[in-house]
Amino acid sequence: MEGILPRLGQDPAYRDTFRRDNDTLEIFTDAGTVTVDLPTGGTRLEVVRDRRILKEANLLHLNQPRGLWTFLADLYAVDLLVLAITGLFVIRGKGG
């Protein structure tokens, strides 16, 4: 494994390996996944790249900014609750 990764331009340190079947080995690195076809010696490198908008949305979803963001999220939740409750009392028909 140490010989395969430098050949692909990757750091020779890896996190883990997984043997999918007798012919396939997967090597997990910080940059992505290297799949090795053992009988032929063929390799495939899958690189992981951050997607900017999804990463930022996930940070907000996990509440990593904390502080002001938590206050704004709670305020928004209260606003939605008020909207839902007042929507129960809307008058129907032509006079509503």
Side-chain angles (χ1 to χ4, degrees), residues 19-74:
R19 191 100 184 237
R20 186 183 314 165
D21 54 36
N22 289 336
D23 297 336
T24 308
L25 175 69
E26 291 185 4
I27 305 169
F28 301 102
T29 67
D30 289 334
T33 304
V34 178
T35 305
V36 182
D37 184 15
L38 296 174
T40 64
T43 59
R44 185 179 76 214
L45 173 64
E46 296 178 29
V47 179
V48 178
R49 285 180 271 167
D50 290 336
R51 290 180 270 182
R52 187 77 176 154
I53 294 174
L54 293 178
K55 183 177 180 181
E56 297 298 327
N58 194 39
L59 289 176
L60 292 177
H61 172 73
L62 296 175
N63 194 22
Q64 288 184 351
R66 310 220 189 278
L68 181 62
W69 175 250
T70 301
F71 174 74
L72 290 175
D74 290 345

